[in-house]
Amino acid sequence: MTRVVFMGTPEFAVPALDKLSSSTDYDIVGVYAQPDKSAGRGRKLALTPVKEFAIAHNLPILQPHSLRTPEAQAELAALAPDVIIVAAYGLILPRAVLDLPPHGCINIHASLLPKYRGAAPINAAILSGEPITGITLMRMDEGVDTGPMLAQAELAIHADDTTTTLTGRLAQLGADLLAQTLPRWLAGQIEPQAQDESLATFAPRLSKQDGRLDWSLPAVELERRVRAFDPWPGTFTLWQSKRLKVNQVQILNFKFEISNLKLGQVIQEDNSVGIITGQGVLELIEVQLEGKRAMSASDFVRGQPDFVGAQLG
């Protein structure tokens, strides 16, 4: 039986761990997840999805703050893994870890490499308006998602996909691709393929400030941002010095002349509430003023009639 160490933290990693742990071909000798972090108003420690799964299925869980220390590396070496499977773990694997298992460290990456290397490939695919994304299995090296590829699978991006919905489908695709590929890799039946560096693009980690909407951008790009930044960092604008979260939007063609209106200005036609952008009008579907509950834009305007005509920033 193949000894497997699994490394992952968020919900994206759970289907792959589930697939591995339910197979009689693999012995999960260790599950690594990032340390628990405090969350919510009470700042209580919240278990990561991978840790929750590991506990529920009686799998050994380890949560070192780093894999660079001699102690952490000795603990991992004692598990004697034949292969390490990595899915959105979030910690850097140093050379000593990469070289440890005989069959290497295999990463489940949520893009069609070499496109969108880095921390936010799903967000980047939606932001760029890609019609297709996918999963790449690669043998990890010391670069950022630069290792040779073992397998790929494509997935269509729907017009209404958010990062939340797309992540769920990609997670399942990654689990299925791993189940199909890992036995062949362990049997020596796959020759890794080098990535074409000339086609490489990078998807850097997002920050909270990335969610602020710039109304000089075209409506089509702003609509993608709202979908790409769901659930994090979310998108927002400012109104009366308060943060207004923009949870859901769609592109709208207003019938009347808008050339004399300003960027970021709120307009209304019938029950539709729109914002003037650098190109076109973006209709607000759901918003949330700081400290308040989320509501439809039409309900928000009924409670805040001075919102129409305002200029958002």
Side-chain angles (χ1 to χ4, degrees), residues 35-243:
D36 302 328
K37 297 179 181 179
S38 56
R41 292 183 178 179
R43 306 308 295 168
K44 294 182 180 180
L45 284 180
L47 303 186
T48 70
V50 164
K51 182 176 182 178
E52 286 186 338
F53 182 93
I55 292 173
H57 293 79
N58 297 313
L59 299 174
I61 185 77
L62 302 96
Q63 295 179 281
H65 288 273
S66 170
L67 292 175
R68 295 188 180 278
T69 67
E71 295 79 11
Q73 292 175 13
E75 186 176 43
L76 177 59
L79 299 175
D82 296 309
V83 67
I84 295 176
I85 304 299
V86 183
Y89 178 37
L91 293 184
I92 294 175
L93 275 57
R95 170 56 63 184
V97 172
L98 295 172
D99 289 343
L100 176 63
H103 294 282
C105 298
I106 308 304
N107 185 42
I108 305 171
H109 185 75
S111 81
L112 297 174
L113 291 171
K115 264 192 173 182
Y116 307 128
R117 296 170 175 173
I122 302 175
N123 314 79
I126 294 176
L127 278 175
S128 299
E130 297 281 2
I132 293 173
T133 185
I135 292 289
T136 302
L137 298 185
M138 52 161 281
R139 181 163 187 170
M140 299 175 69
D141 59 18
E142 289 186 285
V144 178
D145 302 321
T146 56
M149 302 178 295
L150 310 187
Q152 288 187 318
E154 294 185 349
L155 184 71
I157 299 178
H158 300 160
D160 60 349
D161 260 329
T162 64
T163 292
T164 299
T165 61
L166 188 54
T167 296
R169 299 206 313 282
L170 283 168
Q172 191 57 57
L173 180 66
D176 293 341
L177 185 62
L178 180 67
Q180 298 163 14
T181 307
L182 187 55
R184 296 175 55 232
W185 169 248
L186 295 172
Q189 298 171 356
I190 294 177
E191 184 66 32
Q193 301 297 311
Q195 297 184 39
D196 185 343
E197 291 296 323
S198 69
L199 300 177
T201 59
F202 192 67
R205 190 176 304 277
L206 300 173
S207 70
K208 286 186 178 181
Q209 196 56 32
D210 288 326
R212 184 169 182 174
L213 295 173
D214 178 357
W215 299 110
S216 68
L217 296 174
V220 64
E221 185 171 337
L222 291 166
E223 188 270 344
R224 289 176 189 161
R225 284 177 174 265
V226 173
R227 292 188 291 112
F229 296 162
D230 173 352
W232 198 89
T235 46
F236 70 94
T237 189
L238 297 180
W239 176 59
Q240 296 183 347
S241 301
K242 292 183 179 180
R243 181 176 293 220

